[in-house]
Amino acid sequence: MRWGGIFPISVVLAGCLAFLSSGCGPSVNRYLLIEQSLLAGNPQQAAAIVEQTKDEYGAKGRLLYGMDRGMVLQVAGQYEQSSAVLEQAEEDVERLYTRSIRTETAAFLTNDNMLPYEGDAHEHVMINVVKALNYAVQGQIQEALVEVRRIDHRLNVLGDRVKDPDKYRNDGFARYLSGILYEAAGDLNNAFIAYRNAYEAYQAMKGWARMSPPPSLQADLLRTTEALGLKTEFERYRQAFPDVMWSPSLSSSGEALAHVVLISYNGRAPRKEDMFLDLPISLDAAQLVLLNRGVFQGPYQRDRVADSLLYGLNGRVVRVALPRLVPQKT
C-alpha cells in the first residue's frame, strides 16, 4: 500500500496530552487552564497559556516547557512551529545528559526539583513521534522518516541499556507508526520490519502496559508478508490471528489500495511526585527518623530541606528522593 502526496492523519484530543503534567513542580492551576481550553476545543488558547506562563517553568523546566508547547501547537494545527519547538527540546535532551555532581547530590538529598527536568525515556521517544506526525500531516514523508530512524535508534539503545522486562525499554506505538510511515514512502520491506518490531514490543509490554497489539497491526502483518512473498511468516501470523480480517495491498486490477489512518490522543498523563525514603544506618539514626516522623510525638514539623539538614548533621541518615507517577482521572 502506498500513499501519495499529503498523508492524511487526523488528530483527535480527548482529555489531556501526553507531555502535559508529566514533570515535577509546574503550577497545577496552569495545567488546569490548559486542560480546560483543550476540552473546550480551543487548542489555540491552550498554546497561548503555555507561552504566557513560560517564566513559571523556570530555567530548570526549559525542556518541559518545550515539550508542552510543542504538543499543544500540534493540536492547534501549527505543525511547523511545533516541530521547531520540539527540535529545540530534543537538543535540550542531549545537553542535559551531562550533570554536575553537586547538583545531583543536592537533588538526592532534597528533591528532583533541584535538577533541570530532563524527561523520561518515553518522553524522549514521544518528541520524535510528535515530530514525525507533524511532518506526515504536511505530506513531508522523507522528513518524517528521519524521525522514524531517530525513534529506532533511541529504542535500540534503550533496549540494550534497560534489561528489566517490566520497565519501559520499547514502544509498540512508536514502532507501529514507523511501519505506517515506511509504507507511506513505498518501502514495504522496512514497513514489515517495523510492524514485526511493533508486534513484539506490544507483546513484551503486556505485563506493565496492559495493552495488546491492535487488530489493525495484525492485519498489516498479514498484508505485508503476503505482498513480500514471505510465506513462512504469513502462515505463522495467519495461525496466530485466525479471526483477523485483512485486505491485500493491491486491488484485483493491480492498483494500490489506501486507507485513512486516525491518530487519537486519549486520557491524561499521570502526575509525577517525589516520594522520600529516610534510610538510617544506626540505631540512634533510626530513633531520630522515627522522632522526626512523629512516631514519638515530636513537637516540630520540619520541611524537606530542614529534614535533610538535620539528617546531615547526624551523619547517619540518608534521604533518597524517588519519583512516582500518580494516575489522574480521565
Side-chain angles (χ1 to χ4, degrees), residues 206-243:
K206 273 185 179 180
W208 61 269
R210 298 180 178 86
M211 295 176 62
S212 298
S216 57
L217 172 57
Q218 298 170 358
D220 290 333
L221 283 166
L222 289 166
R223 179 173 44 74
T224 52
T225 51
E226 183 193 45
L228 291 168
L230 303 175
K231 295 181 180 180
T232 302
E233 289 82 355
F234 174 76
E235 289 299 328
R236 184 171 71 249
Y237 289 129
R238 190 166 67 170
Q239 291 178 15
F241 322 133
D243 300 324

mmCIF file of all heavy atoms in Angstrom, residues 206-243:
data_model
loop_
_atom_site.group_PDB
_atom_site.id
_atom_site.type_symbol
_atom_site.label_atom_id
_atom_site.label_comp_id
_atom_site.label_asym_id
_atom_site.label_seq_id
_atom_site.Cartn_x
_atom_site.Cartn_y
_atom_site.Cartn_z
ATOM 1 N N LYS A 206 2.958 -6.165 27.555
ATOM 2 C CA LYS A 206 1.661 -6.563 28.110
ATOM 3 C C LYS A 206 1.635 -6.515 29.631
ATOM 4 O O LYS A 206 0.655 -6.080 30.238
ATOM 5 C CB LYS A 206 1.309 -7.978 27.653
ATOM 6 C CG LYS A 206 0.594 -8.061 26.322
ATOM 7 C CD LYS A 206 0.193 -9.496 26.030
ATOM 8 C CE LYS A 206 -0.558 -9.606 24.716
ATOM 9 N NZ LYS A 206 -0.937 -11.015 24.431
ATOM 10 N N GLY A 207 2.720 -6.976 30.258
ATOM 11 C CA GLY A 207 2.729 -7.094 31.706
ATOM 12 C C GLY A 207 2.535 -5.788 32.429
ATOM 13 O O GLY A 207 1.765 -5.703 33.388
ATOM 14 N N TRP A 208 3.217 -4.733 31.975
ATOM 15 C CA TRP A 208 3.144 -3.460 32.701
ATOM 16 C C TRP A 208 2.278 -2.422 32.002
ATOM 17 O O TRP A 208 1.708 -1.550 32.652
ATOM 18 C CB TRP A 208 4.545 -2.889 32.922
ATOM 19 C CG TRP A 208 5.312 -2.589 31.670
ATOM 20 C CD1 TRP A 208 6.161 -3.422 31.008
ATOM 21 C CD2 TRP A 208 5.304 -1.366 30.922
ATOM 22 N NE1 TRP A 208 6.681 -2.812 29.896
ATOM 23 C CE2 TRP A 208 6.178 -1.541 29.818
ATOM 24 C CE3 TRP A 208 4.654 -0.146 31.074
ATOM 25 C CZ2 TRP A 208 6.409 -0.544 28.875
ATOM 26 C CZ3 TRP A 208 4.886 0.853 30.138
ATOM 27 C CH2 TRP A 208 5.754 0.648 29.055
ATOM 28 N N ALA A 209 2.138 -2.498 30.690
ATOM 29 C CA ALA A 209 1.344 -1.503 29.971
ATOM 30 C C ALA A 209 -0.114 -1.922 29.825
ATOM 31 O O ALA A 209 -0.972 -1.091 29.543
ATOM 32 C CB ALA A 209 1.934 -1.253 28.587
ATOM 33 N N ARG A 210 -0.376 -3.221 30.000
ATOM 34 C CA ARG A 210 -1.736 -3.754 29.881
ATOM 35 C C ARG A 210 -2.352 -3.392 28.527
ATOM 36 O O ARG A 210 -3.505 -2.977 28.436
ATOM 37 C CB ARG A 210 -2.620 -3.260 31.025
ATOM 38 C CG ARG A 210 -2.149 -3.702 32.401
ATOM 39 C CD ARG A 210 -3.052 -3.180 33.509
ATOM 40 N NE ARG A 210 -2.619 -3.632 34.815
ATOM 41 C CZ ARG A 210 -1.701 -3.022 35.549
ATOM 42 N NH1 ARG A 210 -1.119 -1.932 35.081
ATOM 43 N NH2 ARG A 210 -1.352 -3.484 36.726
ATOM 44 N N MET A 211 -1.553 -3.528 27.486
ATOM 45 C CA MET A 211 -2.005 -3.233 26.127
ATOM 46 C C MET A 211 -1.708 -4.424 25.236
ATOM 47 O O MET A 211 -0.645 -5.032 25.337
ATOM 48 C CB MET A 211 -1.298 -1.987 25.575
ATOM 49 C CG MET A 211 -1.616 -0.705 26.313
ATOM 50 S SD MET A 211 -0.655 0.692 25.663
ATOM 51 C CE MET A 211 -1.247 0.743 23.976
ATOM 52 N N SER A 212 -2.644 -4.737 24.366
ATOM 53 C CA SER A 212 -2.457 -5.807 23.401
ATOM 54 C C SER A 212 -2.219 -5.200 22.022
ATOM 55 O O SER A 212 -2.605 -4.055 21.765
ATOM 56 C CB SER A 212 -3.696 -6.711 23.363
ATOM 57 O OG SER A 212 -3.910 -7.316 24.621
ATOM 58 N N PRO A 213 -1.604 -5.949 21.116
ATOM 59 C CA PRO A 213 -1.419 -5.429 19.757
ATOM 60 C C PRO A 213 -2.770 -5.116 19.123
ATOM 61 O O PRO A 213 -3.695 -5.925 19.202
ATOM 62 C CB PRO A 213 -0.717 -6.586 19.029
ATOM 63 C CG PRO A 213 -0.097 -7.401 20.112
ATOM 64 C CD PRO A 213 -0.999 -7.277 21.297
ATOM 65 N N PRO A 214 -2.931 -3.962 18.513
ATOM 66 C CA PRO A 214 -4.215 -3.629 17.885
ATOM 67 C C PRO A 214 -4.498 -4.538 16.696
ATOM 68 O O PRO A 214 -3.572 -4.968 15.998
ATOM 69 C CB PRO A 214 -4.025 -2.175 17.446
ATOM 70 C CG PRO A 214 -2.549 -1.990 17.354
ATOM 71 C CD PRO A 214 -1.938 -2.885 18.380
ATOM 72 N N PRO A 215 -5.761 -4.844 16.442
ATOM 73 C CA PRO A 215 -6.103 -5.695 15.292
ATOM 74 C C PRO A 215 -5.584 -5.146 13.966
ATOM 75 O O PRO A 215 -5.244 -5.915 13.061
ATOM 76 C CB PRO A 215 -7.636 -5.721 15.326
ATOM 77 C CG PRO A 215 -7.988 -5.459 16.760
ATOM 78 C CD PRO A 215 -6.939 -4.509 17.250
ATOM 79 N N SER A 216 -5.516 -3.824 13.838
ATOM 80 C CA SER A 216 -5.021 -3.239 12.590
ATOM 81 C C SER A 216 -3.564 -3.613 12.345
ATOM 82 O O SER A 216 -3.152 -3.825 11.195
ATOM 83 C CB SER A 216 -5.172 -1.714 12.623
ATOM 84 O OG SER A 216 -4.491 -1.163 13.746
ATOM 85 N N LEU A 217 -2.767 -3.723 13.411
ATOM 86 C CA LEU A 217 -1.376 -4.141 13.268
ATOM 87 C C LEU A 217 -1.307 -5.590 12.809
ATOM 88 O O LEU A 217 -0.481 -5.953 11.961
ATOM 89 C CB LEU A 217 -0.633 -3.960 14.591
ATOM 90 C CG LEU A 217 0.793 -4.521 14.669
ATOM 91 C CD1 LEU A 217 1.683 -3.923 13.584
ATOM 92 C CD2 LEU A 217 1.391 -4.273 16.050
ATOM 93 N N GLN A 218 -2.170 -6.417 13.347
ATOM 94 C CA GLN A 218 -2.202 -7.813 12.932
ATOM 95 C C GLN A 218 -2.555 -7.927 11.449
ATOM 96 O O GLN A 218 -1.953 -8.713 10.707
ATOM 97 C CB GLN A 218 -3.208 -8.570 13.798
ATOM 98 C CG GLN A 218 -2.842 -8.569 15.280
ATOM 99 C CD GLN A 218 -3.957 -9.097 16.166
ATOM 100 O OE1 GLN A 218 -5.043 -9.432 15.685
ATOM 101 N NE2 GLN A 218 -3.703 -9.170 17.469
ATOM 102 N N ALA A 219 -3.511 -7.107 11.010
ATOM 103 C CA ALA A 219 -3.883 -7.107 9.594
ATOM 104 C C ALA A 219 -2.727 -6.617 8.727
ATOM 105 O O ALA A 219 -2.492 -7.141 7.627
ATOM 106 C CB ALA A 219 -5.119 -6.230 9.383
ATOM 107 N N ASP A 220 -1.987 -5.624 9.208
ATOM 108 C CA ASP A 220 -0.844 -5.106 8.450
ATOM 109 C C ASP A 220 0.246 -6.165 8.301
ATOM 110 O O ASP A 220 0.907 -6.247 7.261
ATOM 111 C CB ASP A 220 -0.276 -3.867 9.143
ATOM 112 C CG ASP A 220 -1.207 -2.666 9.046
ATOM 113 O OD1 ASP A 220 -1.985 -2.604 8.077
ATOM 114 O OD2 ASP A 220 -1.160 -1.799 9.939
ATOM 115 N N LEU A 221 0.451 -6.964 9.338
ATOM 116 C CA LEU A 221 1.442 -8.035 9.251
ATOM 117 C C LEU A 221 1.035 -9.075 8.213
ATOM 118 O O LEU A 221 1.870 -9.549 7.425
ATOM 119 C CB LEU A 221 1.619 -8.691 10.623
ATOM 120 C CG LEU A 221 2.449 -7.905 11.641
ATOM 121 C CD1 LEU A 221 2.273 -8.479 13.041
ATOM 122 C CD2 LEU A 221 3.919 -7.893 11.248
ATOM 123 N N LEU A 222 -0.233 -9.429 8.189
ATOM 124 C CA LEU A 222 -0.714 -10.387 7.193
ATOM 125 C C LEU A 222 -0.572 -9.823 5.781
ATOM 126 O O LEU A 222 -0.122 -10.512 4.858
ATOM 127 C CB LEU A 222 -2.172 -10.742 7.482
ATOM 128 C CG LEU A 222 -2.410 -11.616 8.718
ATOM 129 C CD1 LEU A 222 -3.883 -11.617 9.098
ATOM 130 C CD2 LEU A 222 -1.921 -13.038 8.464
ATOM 131 N N ARG A 223 -0.946 -8.572 5.617
ATOM 132 C CA ARG A 223 -0.926 -7.957 4.290
ATOM 133 C C ARG A 223 0.494 -7.805 3.752
ATOM 134 O O ARG A 223 0.768 -8.110 2.583
ATOM 135 C CB ARG A 223 -1.622 -6.594 4.359
ATOM 136 C CG ARG A 223 -1.661 -5.838 3.057
ATOM 137 C CD ARG A 223 -2.521 -4.592 3.188
ATOM 138 N NE ARG A 223 -2.252 -3.872 4.423
ATOM 139 C CZ ARG A 223 -1.171 -3.145 4.644
ATOM 140 N NH1 ARG A 223 -0.244 -3.058 3.705
ATOM 141 N NH2 ARG A 223 -1.000 -2.513 5.787
ATOM 142 N N THR A 224 1.420 -7.331 4.597
ATOM 143 C CA THR A 224 2.780 -7.083 4.109
ATOM 144 C C THR A 224 3.553 -8.378 3.878
ATOM 145 O O THR A 224 4.339 -8.471 2.932
ATOM 146 C CB THR A 224 3.554 -6.180 5.091
ATOM 147 O OG1 THR A 224 3.483 -6.725 6.414
ATOM 148 C CG2 THR A 224 2.985 -4.775 5.091
ATOM 149 N N THR A 225 3.347 -9.377 4.732
ATOM 150 C CA THR A 225 4.054 -10.644 4.497
ATOM 151 C C THR A 225 3.573 -11.306 3.218
ATOM 152 O O THR A 225 4.367 -11.898 2.476
ATOM 153 C CB THR A 225 3.871 -11.605 5.686
ATOM 154 O OG1 THR A 225 2.475 -11.716 6.015
ATOM 155 C CG2 THR A 225 4.640 -11.119 6.901
ATOM 156 N N GLU A 226 2.279 -11.188 2.928
ATOM 157 C CA GLU A 226 1.775 -11.747 1.672
ATOM 158 C C GLU A 226 2.342 -10.983 0.479
ATOM 159 O O GLU A 226 2.788 -11.586 -0.511
ATOM 160 C CB GLU A 226 0.252 -11.698 1.636
ATOM 161 C CG GLU A 226 -0.318 -12.348 0.369
ATOM 162 C CD GLU A 226 -1.786 -12.040 0.165
ATOM 163 O OE1 GLU A 226 -2.176 -10.867 0.325
ATOM 164 O OE2 GLU A 226 -2.534 -12.970 -0.164
ATOM 165 N N ALA A 227 2.344 -9.645 0.567
ATOM 166 C CA ALA A 227 2.832 -8.828 -0.545
ATOM 167 C C ALA A 227 4.314 -9.067 -0.813
ATOM 168 O O ALA A 227 4.762 -9.007 -1.966
ATOM 169 C CB ALA A 227 2.581 -7.349 -0.248
ATOM 170 N N LEU A 228 5.084 -9.348 0.237
ATOM 171 C CA LEU A 228 6.523 -9.579 0.086
ATOM 172 C C LEU A 228 6.848 -11.039 -0.241
ATOM 173 O O LEU A 228 8.016 -11.380 -0.450
ATOM 174 C CB LEU A 228 7.252 -9.170 1.371
ATOM 175 C CG LEU A 228 7.296 -7.665 1.675
ATOM 176 C CD1 LEU A 228 7.783 -7.418 3.098
ATOM 177 C CD2 LEU A 228 8.194 -6.941 0.674
ATOM 178 N N GLY A 229 5.832 -11.879 -0.268
ATOM 179 C CA GLY A 229 6.064 -13.285 -0.570
ATOM 180 C C GLY A 229 6.742 -14.046 0.552
ATOM 181 O O GLY A 229 7.406 -15.066 0.303
ATOM 182 N N LEU A 230 6.566 -13.583 1.784
ATOM 183 C CA LEU A 230 7.170 -14.249 2.945
ATOM 184 C C LEU A 230 6.193 -15.316 3.442
ATOM 185 O O LEU A 230 5.431 -15.103 4.390
ATOM 186 C CB LEU A 230 7.484 -13.223 4.038
ATOM 187 C CG LEU A 230 8.407 -12.071 3.618
ATOM 188 C CD1 LEU A 230 8.539 -11.045 4.743
ATOM 189 C CD2 LEU A 230 9.781 -12.607 3.218
ATOM 190 N N LYS A 231 6.219 -16.470 2.794
ATOM 191 C CA LYS A 231 5.199 -17.489 3.041
ATOM 192 C C LYS A 231 5.245 -18.027 4.468
ATOM 193 O O LYS A 231 4.204 -18.239 5.098
ATOM 194 C CB LYS A 231 5.369 -18.627 2.036
ATOM 195 C CG LYS A 231 5.120 -18.202 0.589
ATOM 196 C CD LYS A 231 5.273 -19.379 -0.364
ATOM 197 C CE LYS A 231 5.010 -18.940 -1.803
ATOM 198 N NZ LYS A 231 5.162 -20.080 -2.759
ATOM 199 N N THR A 232 6.449 -18.271 4.985
ATOM 200 C CA THR A 232 6.561 -18.817 6.342
ATOM 201 C C THR A 232 5.991 -17.852 7.368
ATOM 202 O O THR A 232 5.205 -18.236 8.249
ATOM 203 C CB THR A 232 8.033 -19.124 6.675
ATOM 204 O OG1 THR A 232 8.549 -20.054 5.717
ATOM 205 C CG2 THR A 232 8.151 -19.703 8.080
ATOM 206 N N GLU A 233 6.391 -16.576 7.259
ATOM 207 C CA GLU A 233 5.897 -15.564 8.195
ATOM 208 C C GLU A 233 4.391 -15.373 8.044
ATOM 209 O O GLU A 233 3.663 -15.229 9.039
ATOM 210 C CB GLU A 233 6.617 -14.232 7.978
ATOM 211 C CG GLU A 233 8.067 -14.218 8.424
ATOM 212 C CD GLU A 233 9.007 -14.815 7.382
ATOM 213 O OE1 GLU A 233 8.497 -15.323 6.352
ATOM 214 O OE2 GLU A 233 10.233 -14.787 7.599
ATOM 215 N N PHE A 234 3.922 -15.377 6.785
ATOM 216 C CA PHE A 234 2.490 -15.198 6.548
ATOM 217 C C PHE A 234 1.684 -16.307 7.213
ATOM 218 O O PHE A 234 0.679 -16.040 7.887
ATOM 219 C CB PHE A 234 2.203 -15.168 5.049
ATOM 220 C CG PHE A 234 0.740 -15.136 4.718
ATOM 221 C CD1 PHE A 234 0.006 -13.968 4.856
ATOM 222 C CD2 PHE A 234 0.085 -16.288 4.285
ATOM 223 C CE1 PHE A 234 -1.357 -13.942 4.564
ATOM 224 C CE2 PHE A 234 -1.270 -16.268 3.992
ATOM 225 C CZ PHE A 234 -1.989 -15.093 4.133
ATOM 226 N N GLU A 235 2.114 -17.551 7.058
ATOM 227 C CA GLU A 235 1.387 -18.669 7.655
ATOM 228 C C GLU A 235 1.425 -18.606 9.177
ATOM 229 O O GLU A 235 0.439 -18.923 9.846
ATOM 230 C CB GLU A 235 1.973 -19.997 7.162
ATOM 231 C CG GLU A 235 1.680 -20.296 5.702
ATOM 232 C CD GLU A 235 0.185 -20.391 5.416
ATOM 233 O OE1 GLU A 235 -0.569 -20.824 6.319
ATOM 234 O OE2 GLU A 235 -0.229 -20.022 4.300
ATOM 235 N N ARG A 236 2.566 -18.182 9.725
ATOM 236 C CA ARG A 236 2.668 -18.080 11.182
ATOM 237 C C ARG A 236 1.698 -17.032 11.722
ATOM 238 O O ARG A 236 0.994 -17.272 12.718
ATOM 239 C CB ARG A 236 4.098 -17.731 11.589
ATOM 240 C CG ARG A 236 4.283 -17.702 13.108
ATOM 241 C CD ARG A 236 5.730 -17.567 13.525
ATOM 242 N NE ARG A 236 6.264 -16.242 13.249
ATOM 243 C CZ ARG A 236 7.180 -15.970 12.332
ATOM 244 N NH1 ARG A 236 7.669 -16.943 11.577
ATOM 245 N NH2 ARG A 236 7.625 -14.744 12.143
ATOM 246 N N TYR A 237 1.628 -15.880 11.054
ATOM 247 C CA TYR A 237 0.718 -14.833 11.515
ATOM 248 C C TYR A 237 -0.740 -15.219 11.270
ATOM 249 O O TYR A 237 -1.619 -14.883 12.071
ATOM 250 C CB TYR A 237 1.042 -13.505 10.827
ATOM 251 C CG TYR A 237 2.337 -12.879 11.296
ATOM 252 C CD1 TYR A 237 3.306 -12.458 10.384
ATOM 253 C CD2 TYR A 237 2.601 -12.710 12.654
ATOM 254 C CE1 TYR A 237 4.500 -11.889 10.810
ATOM 255 C CE2 TYR A 237 3.791 -12.140 13.092
ATOM 256 C CZ TYR A 237 4.738 -11.737 12.165
ATOM 257 O OH TYR A 237 5.918 -11.178 12.593
ATOM 258 N N ARG A 238 -1.013 -15.924 10.193
ATOM 259 C CA ARG A 238 -2.394 -16.320 9.929
ATOM 260 C C ARG A 238 -2.890 -17.299 10.993
ATOM 261 O O ARG A 238 -4.052 -17.255 11.396
ATOM 262 C CB ARG A 238 -2.518 -16.944 8.538
ATOM 263 C CG ARG A 238 -3.973 -17.150 8.119
ATOM 264 C CD ARG A 238 -4.120 -17.442 6.665
ATOM 265 N NE ARG A 238 -3.542 -18.737 6.304
ATOM 266 C CZ ARG A 238 -3.703 -19.312 5.113
ATOM 267 N NH1 ARG A 238 -4.405 -18.691 4.170
ATOM 268 N NH2 ARG A 238 -3.148 -20.474 4.842
ATOM 269 N N GLN A 239 -1.991 -18.163 11.463
ATOM 270 C CA GLN A 239 -2.364 -19.072 12.549
ATOM 271 C C GLN A 239 -2.513 -18.324 13.872
ATOM 272 O O GLN A 239 -3.357 -18.675 14.701
ATOM 273 C CB GLN A 239 -1.313 -20.172 12.679
ATOM 274 C CG GLN A 239 -1.289 -21.143 11.508
ATOM 275 C CD GLN A 239 -0.203 -22.198 11.651
ATOM 276 O OE1 GLN A 239 0.360 -22.384 12.739
ATOM 277 N NE2 GLN A 239 0.108 -22.888 10.556
ATOM 278 N N ALA A 240 -1.696 -17.285 14.056
ATOM 279 C CA ALA A 240 -1.762 -16.511 15.303
ATOM 280 C C ALA A 240 -2.998 -15.615 15.344
ATOM 281 O O ALA A 240 -3.539 -15.343 16.425
ATOM 282 C CB ALA A 240 -0.504 -15.666 15.464
ATOM 283 N N PHE A 241 -3.453 -15.140 14.161
ATOM 284 C CA PHE A 241 -4.604 -14.223 14.100
ATOM 285 C C PHE A 241 -5.696 -14.825 13.209
ATOM 286 O O PHE A 241 -6.021 -14.274 12.148
ATOM 287 C CB PHE A 241 -4.199 -12.861 13.537
ATOM 288 C CG PHE A 241 -2.851 -12.361 13.964
ATOM 289 C CD1 PHE A 241 -1.958 -11.842 13.034
ATOM 290 C CD2 PHE A 241 -2.461 -12.395 15.295
ATOM 291 C CE1 PHE A 241 -0.714 -11.369 13.408
ATOM 292 C CE2 PHE A 241 -1.210 -11.928 15.688
ATOM 293 C CZ PHE A 241 -0.337 -11.419 14.741
ATOM 294 N N PRO A 242 -6.296 -15.927 13.588
ATOM 295 C CA PRO A 242 -7.254 -16.594 12.695
ATOM 296 C C PRO A 242 -8.524 -15.789 12.437
ATOM 297 O O PRO A 242 -9.190 -16.002 11.417
ATOM 298 C CB PRO A 242 -7.567 -17.904 13.436
ATOM 299 C CG PRO A 242 -7.295 -17.594 14.879
ATOM 300 C CD PRO A 242 -6.136 -16.648 14.866
ATOM 301 N N ASP A 243 -8.866 -14.875 13.326
ATOM 302 C CA ASP A 243 -10.126 -14.135 13.190
ATOM 303 C C ASP A 243 -9.947 -12.731 12.614
ATOM 304 O O ASP A 243 -10.918 -11.983 12.503
ATOM 305 C CB ASP A 243 -10.812 -14.025 14.557
ATOM 306 C CG ASP A 243 -11.135 -15.389 15.151
ATOM 307 O OD1 ASP A 243 -11.485 -16.297 14.372
ATOM 308 O OD2 ASP A 243 -11.017 -15.541 16.386
#
